[in-house]
């Protein structure tokens, strides 16, 4: 199985690389107004003019992405832990960053804002986006202090902006950034209010769209649905480092991404990404910063997504997530559409139980495995 699954991801990668070659060697279309994007190399390098680039940066157990718009303007979404700050600045330099036009702190957790402190000390920053939620932590305090002592490209202080759903931006011609969450008032009393109030934003560029979800969890998703947002995107930055509460089938169906990116640290103590999340992502191209390193995507006028990574994944990312085969009858929950082993400790109430002769029969009926089936 190892061999086949490894091959499959290689083939997946090859398909994408082939697109790169097709994109490069084909004569430019007569209708094209901008150049086709040259393929990114596996090393971080500046984005060419006219190309939309998104670099998902490996910051260990944290989250960071640099967006370079076709006109060269930059948006940095999150920056990993404080300990990653110097390395992050080095990566931004290699990507050709001279200033940050929009610095987005999706929420005040240290694995998202810590590294931004060093960025604020190094580069001119025009505007800082924050959810403005009261939050007590030494790292968030240092972040706010760094914002206050940072400088913008015109020598003044960066503009500090508390953002809410409905804010839109046209950072470059034909590119739109839309803030989908949080809504006013912020959620309170959820499992994690900072996570559930994460800034969620989509970027629509010529030929492709990206959805950034911060650490949004279930309560935040439910709130998001009430605003009837357009969630469909070609590339999904998977929420909450692939935690079980960051993704579910309904959400994936709404976004329906071709490519999913999980920012996650190798051997992290949270067990991210969760195997159930990986199982849900089967059949899509999955990139993980713990396996692939930095992941650089480009969109040019040829409307082909080109992807390069600093590391080749050693194994198929979803190989270890394949549910162990289960033999015999299983018990489903009519409400959650999850099925369990009969000896599972969290069986549904008898009135909600649906019995199936096999796991296959349950899956044909639209049920998905509970973690007890996945071997936990
Ligand atoms: Zn996080
Ligand atoms: Zn968080």
């Amino acid at each position: 199985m190892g061999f086949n699954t490894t091959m499959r991801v290689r083939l997946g990668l090859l398909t994408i690389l082939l697109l790169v070659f097709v994109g490069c060697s084909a004569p430019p279309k007569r209708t094209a107004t901008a150049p086709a994007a040259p393929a990114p190399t596996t090393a971080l390098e500046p984005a060419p003019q006219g190309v939309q680039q998104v670099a998902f940066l490996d910051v260990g157990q944290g989250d960071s992405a640099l967006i370079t718009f076709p006109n060269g303007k930059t948006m940095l979404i999150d920056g990993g832990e404080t300990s990653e700050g110097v390395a992050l600045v080095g990566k931004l330099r290699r990507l050709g960053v001279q200033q940050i036009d929009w610095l987005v702190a999706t929420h005040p957790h240290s694995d998202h804002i810590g590294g931004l402190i060093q960025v604020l000390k190094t580069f001119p920053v025009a505007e800082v986006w924050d959810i403005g939620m009261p939050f007590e932590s030494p790292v968030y305090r240092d972040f706010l202090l760094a914002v206050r002592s940072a400088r913008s490209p015109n020598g003044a202080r960066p503009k500090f902006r508390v953002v809410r759903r409905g804010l839109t931006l046209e950072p470059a011609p034909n590119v739109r950034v839309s803030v989908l969450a949080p809504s006013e008032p912020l959620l309170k009393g959820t499992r994690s209010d900072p996570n559930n109030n994460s800034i969620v934003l989509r970027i629509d560029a010529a030929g492709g769209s990206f959805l950034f979800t911060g650490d949004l969890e279930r309560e935040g998703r439910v709130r998001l649905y009430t605003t009837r947002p357009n969630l469909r995107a070609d590339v999904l930055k998977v929420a909450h480092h692939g935690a079980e509460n960051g993704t579910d089938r309904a959400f994936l169906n709404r976004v329906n991404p071709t490519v999913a990116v999980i920012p996650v640290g190798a051997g992290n103590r949270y067990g991210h990404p969760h195997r159930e999340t990986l199982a849900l992502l089967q059949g899509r191209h999955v990139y993980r910063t713990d396996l692939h390193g930095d992941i650089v995507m480009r969109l040019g006028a040829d409307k082909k997504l080109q992807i390069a990574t600093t590391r080749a994944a050693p194994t198929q990312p979803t190989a270890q997530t394949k549910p162990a085969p289960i033999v015999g009858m299983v018990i489903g929950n009519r409400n959650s559409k999850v099925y369990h082993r009969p000896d599972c400790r969290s069986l549904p109430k008898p009135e909600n139980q649906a019995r199936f002769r096999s796991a296959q029969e349950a899956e044909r009926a639209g049920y998905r495995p509970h973690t007890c089936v996945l071997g936990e």
Side-chain angles (χ1 to χ4, degrees), residues 59-77:
V59 289
Q61 180 63 15
D63 200 337
S64 186
L66 179 81
I67 295 124
T68 311
F69 297 107
N71 56 3
K73 293 204 179 228
T74 56
M75 175 179 271
L76 179 65
I77 304 179

Side-chain angles (χ1 to χ4, degrees), residues 16-33:
I16 292 165
L17 290 174
L18 273 173
L19 288 178
V20 170
F21 284 117
V22 170
C24 286
S25 56
K29 281 183 193 147
R30 270 172 294 149
T31 51
T33 51

Side-chain angles (χ1 to χ4, degrees), residues 119-190:
V119 172
L120 284 158
K121 287 178 180 168
T122 309
F123 299 104
V125 175
E127 208 167 297
V128 175
W129 289 10
D130 188 275
I131 58 172
M133 183 186 127
F135 187 72
E136 288 294 327
S137 90
V139 179
Y140 188 53
R141 191 195 56 215
D142 288 351
F143 168 75
L144 293 178
L145 283 173
V147 172
R148 227 175 290 163
S149 32
R151 62 190 174 89
S152 75
N154 63 17
R157 274 194 202 155
K159 182 175 175 187
F160 186 81
R161 196 162 181 174
V162 172
V163 304
R164 291 290 182 266
R165 178 179 77 87
L167 174 68
T168 59
L169 180 77
E170 200 182 310
N174 302 317
V175 181
R176 178 173 284 262
V177 176
S178 315
V179 174
L180 308 182
S183 300
E184 193 67 45
L186 295 181
L187 286 168
K188 273 193 182 150
T190 66

